[in-house]
Amino acid sequence: MTTEVAAPMIKAAAVNKYFGDLHVLKEITLEVPRGQVVVVLGPSGSGKSTLCRAINRLEPINSGEIAVDGVALPAEGKALAALRADVGMVFQSFNLFAHKTILENVMLAPVKVRKTAGAEARKTAMELLERVGIANQADKYPAQLSGGQQQRVAIARALAMRPKVMLFDEPTSALDPEMVQEVLDVMTGLAKDGMTMLVVTHEMGFARRAADRVIFMADGEIVEDTTPEEFFTKPKSDRAKDFLGKIL
Ligand code: ADP
Ligand code: MG
């Protein structure tokens, strides 16, 4: 009997990215297995956002390879749109459609991109709004919700596409402090449900509690790749020690 080894959910191999002369991602190699929660830490400008954007091809790369669930991401075209739908992304700014209701925001992409029938999209959207604790706001408009509620809607909207992977780029950085936890709670729930997640955050409590793995980036490189326990108690590199000294 042969044992099939599942492809990693996210795979980056020798990825390089330049903005002009600036080398922003330097030979990034990374494999994230199915169901793993990876927190990406690092100082501002280290390439964290660019890595997230490269993973779903919002940002073209100069060399290397990126694959999601064993399928290499093509540079463009229909195949790219389909694969990009497998990767849900949540940003610091929620980017909800201001003139659509919460329910409509969550239904939109499944109907337009996945061609899901309206009734089914509505049912799924309501289930997801329930899951992020906001079903009672379904008929309101984004501006009527708090920042924390809007970010939870943004998570529901990303989940509506039934992604295989969720990328979070500083999802709580724009929130008032009292709203941070409600968003982290939703993310922790997703992690417990087995979602594969890559999370850029400065929330060290979340990193310690929810991450299976911490990646520390500096100057476009992965400098440390270890467990949260190891990273926070025994950082190896001077750059990580310096970073932790500033934030803890
Ligand atoms: P981080 O998310 O870790 O703060 P980024 O990935 O946003 O870092 O940025 C990495 C580097 O790339 C920074 O030096 C930043 O100024 C630069 N950069 C990011 N986006 C662009 C862009 N569109 N054009 C030029 N430089 C960029
Ligand atoms: Mg960033």
Side-chain angles (χ1 to χ4, degrees), residues 101-108 110 118-140 152-153 156-157 159-160 162:
T101 66
I102 297 310
L103 180 65
E104 287 164 351
N105 265 278
V106 179
M107 286 175 62
L108 196 65
E120 191 193 331
R122 178 178 298 266
K123 182 167 171 283
T124 305
M126 284 308 297
E127 284 166 7
L128 289 169
L129 288 173
E130 196 80 55
R131 182 166 173 189
V132 300
I134 223 156
N136 57 349
Q137 314 282 339
D139 296 324
K140 291 193 177 164
R152 287 188 277 149
V153 174
R157 181 178 59 176
L159 292 173
R162 303 202 177 286

Side-chain angles (χ1 to χ4, degrees), residues 48-49 169-170 200:
K48 306 180 300 295
S49 293
D169 190 2
E170 302 201 24
V200 179

